[in-house]
Amino acid sequence: MTDSYKIECKNLWKVFGLGADKLKSESSLNRQSLESSGHVVAVQDASFSVRKGDIFVIMGLSGSGKSTLIRCLSRLIDASNGQVLID
């Protein structure tokens, strides 16, 4: 994590469904194959960095994964893959 960043999100995925908690390898993270096996991809490969003093907004359509992303950032739910680095 770079000193100037307060929050970094790197390649974050959240997948729901049977066996989704075992999806820890990058090779298993393919949206089409996940959805065809009955999984729901709520957050797909999200990456961003927020510097001190920045105002950061998460926008999107209804059902696009905004709340799920926030829950992953706050650790209310665990991400399926990726990293969340704070301070």
Side-chain angles (χ1 to χ4, degrees), residues 11-26:
N11 308 104
L12 194 76
W13 285 74
K14 179 58 185 173
V15 180
F16 294 102
L18 189 61
D21 55 337
K22 295 178 176 74
L23 299 171
K24 294 295 181 185
S25 74
E26 292 290 328

Side-chain angles (χ1 to χ4, degrees), residues 30-48:
N30 176 299
R31 184 180 193 108
Q32 289 177 333
S33 64
L34 286 169
E35 288 178 346
S36 67
S37 64
H39 292 91
V40 175
V41 179
V43 177
Q44 178 182 339
D45 204 20
S47 297
F48 58 86

Side-chain angles (χ1 to χ4, degrees), residues 1-9 48-54 84-87:
M1 183 164 177
T2 309
D3 291 332
S4 62
Y5 295 127
K6 291 298 179 181
I7 300 173
E8 278 190 278
C9 181
F48 58 86
S49 301
V50 182
R51 290 187 169 95
K52 182 178 181 178
D54 282 354
V84 175
L85 306 169
I86 298 179
D87 202 73

Side-chain angles (χ1 to χ4, degrees), residues 42-77:
V43 177
Q44 178 182 339
D45 204 20
S47 297
F48 58 86
S49 301
V50 182
R51 290 187 169 95
K52 182 178 181 178
D54 282 354
I55 295 173
F56 185 78
V57 178
I58 297 173
M59 294 175 59
L61 297 173
S62 178
S64 64
K66 301 175 302 291
S67 295
T68 303
L69 176 60
I70 296 297
R71 287 183 181 105
C72 288
L73 294 176
S74 64
R75 298 293 311 267
L76 289 173
I77 60 174

